[in-house]
Amino acid sequence: LFRSGGLGLSRLVLDRGVTYGDAGAAVLRDVSIRAVNVQLEMEPDEASVARTLDMVRDAGFGWIRQQVSWADIEPGHKGNFWDGDRRQATWARMDAVAKLASARGIRVIARIELPPDWARPPGSFRSHPPTNVHDYADFVASVTSRYRGQIDVVQVWNEPNLSEEWGRRPVDPAAYVELLRAGYEGAHRGNAKAVVVAASLAQTLEPDLDTAAGLNDLAYLDRMYAFGAAPFFDIAAANGYG
């Protein structure tokens, strides 16, 4: 993770000690720097979520990054947060994750993506961005408001520089910046102290062609800044695939 105020991209690997100026004050202090990706929504019950979080804590991790599927939590139509089949609120699983992680002192990065059918074009792939970014902003606001004090860090989407993660269509940095802005504004509407993470970009050498499977991550990041992304995130995420 690195600050939006400067290019703090893995200096040991990419910059070889070259500096670009002051990256600004740290956004998050006094927390473990070790984090792990989890998919706790796939656990069969709350006891299994608790066991997994115990292992995360015992392994020395202070953070988890958890996917939050918008489609799972607000299905059917806007404003619906009820699962009629299970006769419970659609928030139930995330409520358990937030509660159990907080009880163990584990911080959560909520990766918010995957729009419901009603929020994207008919027949579109599940990773297609929403037709109206304000719907996304409203959902992000619901997340940060509901989990204020438990989940204060949200990531807007994942790997939008890959067509697979952008609705299986050509990637669009300008459109992602619009989504990022909506997510940023929504996050702060729900929680003024929310920290917003720009989507981690996939490391790829894909060319700048509509027929390509994505776009080179450094070129994509450069275009994000060109389209005015800088004010709309506090931290940028980088995937270190090795």
Side-chain angles (χ1 to χ4, degrees):
L1 298 178
F2 58 92
R3 280 285 289 162
S4 61
L7 294 179
L9 280 169
S10 187
R11 291 178 179 174
L12 289 176
V13 178
L14 299 177
D15 293 350
R16 298 296 193 274
V18 176
T19 60
Y20 293 92
D22 183 9
V27 174
L28 302 168
R29 299 182 176 86
D30 301 325
V31 293
S32 168
I33 63 171
R34 301 188 68 201
V36 62
N37 287 305
V38 293
Q39 289 185 286
L40 297 175
E41 79 284 358
M42 299 182 71
E43 300 282 2
D45 50 43
E46 190 168 317
S48 296
V49 173
R51 281 195 298 271
T52 298
L53 288 171
D54 284 341
M55 289 189 287
V56 167
R57 178 198 58 200
D58 294 345
F61 293 99
W63 287 85
I64 58 173
R65 183 169 64 174
Q66 168 67 43
Q67 182 189 75
V68 177
S69 169
W70 180 11
D72 288 345
I73 296 178
E74 196 176 14
H77 60 84
K78 186 165 183 170
N80 175 57
F81 299 105
W82 180 255
D83 185 337
D85 294 333
R86 294 184 173 87
R87 296 178 179 272
Q88 65 180 14
T90 54
W91 295 104
R93 181 52 55 88
M94 277 308 301
D95 286 351
V97 170
K99 177 187 71 176
L100 294 170
S102 181
R104 289 158 176 77
I106 297 172
R107 303 282 294 274
V108 180
I109 300 170
R111 197 180 87 191
I112 304 176
E113 55 188 323
L114 302 178
D117 291 345
W118 61 263
R120 52 184 171 82
S124 60
F125 187 60
R126 65 194 188 104
S127 65
H128 195 290
T131 304
N132 186 343
V133 295
H134 297 295
D135 290 331
Y136 181 77
D138 291 342
F139 179 69
V140 174
S142 297
V143 172
T144 56
S145 175
R146 186 177 186 89
Y147 299 116
R148 190 183 298 116
Q150 292 180 312
I151 302 176
D152 296 325
V153 183
V154 296
Q155 178 177 311
V156 177
W157 223 255
N158 181 59
E159 297 182 338
N161 67 314
L162 295 183
S163 60
E164 182 73 13
E165 299 288 347
W166 197 247
R168 289 182 173 171
R169 64 196 189 109
V171 300
D172 188 341
Y176 174 68
V177 171
E178 290 182 18
L179 184 70
L180 179 63
R181 176 174 183 167
Y184 183 88
E185 293 174 349
H188 287 91
R189 177 158 32 102
N191 177 3
K193 296 182 179 179
V195 174
V196 176
V197 181
S200 49
L201 301 177
Q203 295 173 5
T204 177
L205 298 178
E206 286 289 337
D208 187 8
L209 300 171
D210 285 346
T211 55
L215 178 62
N216 178 297
D217 46 309
L218 296 181
Y220 192 97
L221 180 64
D222 187 61
R223 293 181 192 182
M224 282 175 57
Y225 275 95
F227 288 119
F232 305 120
F233 64 97
D234 303 301
I235 299 172
N239 283 340
Y241 294 136

